[in-house]
Amino acid sequence: MKRAITIAILTTASALLLSGCLESEAEKKAQEQQEASENLWNITPPDESQDKGFKP
């Protein structure tokens, strides 16, 4: 009985790891860095509605 429970737990854990449900910290960090680098060039234009311009 103990052997069957142990095999069931190991099978479940390996299935979760192979399916990608449990991501490692390195994968999460790499994904966050990728998203940050993609968003680096998405710069919105400045809001000039409140700009009064330069007055010397």
Side-chain angles (χ1 to χ4, degrees):
M1 187 67 176
K2 288 182 182 180
R3 180 179 232 158
I5 293 172
T6 305
I7 291 173
I9 290 172
L10 288 175
T11 305
T12 305
S14 62
L16 287 174
L17 288 172
L18 291 176
S19 69
C21 292
L22 301 175
E23 294 182 3
S24 68
E25 293 296 324
E27 290 174 350
K28 287 181 184 179
K29 188 174 182 179
Q31 185 178 11
E32 288 175 0
Q33 287 178 345
Q34 179 67 28
E35 290 174 0
S37 66
E38 289 173 358
N39 290 335
L40 178 66
W41 299 108
N42 293 337
I43 300 171
T44 58
D47 181 20
E48 296 179 357
S49 63
Q50 302 292 325
D51 190 16
K52 297 180 179 174
F54 175 74
K55 295 181 181 176

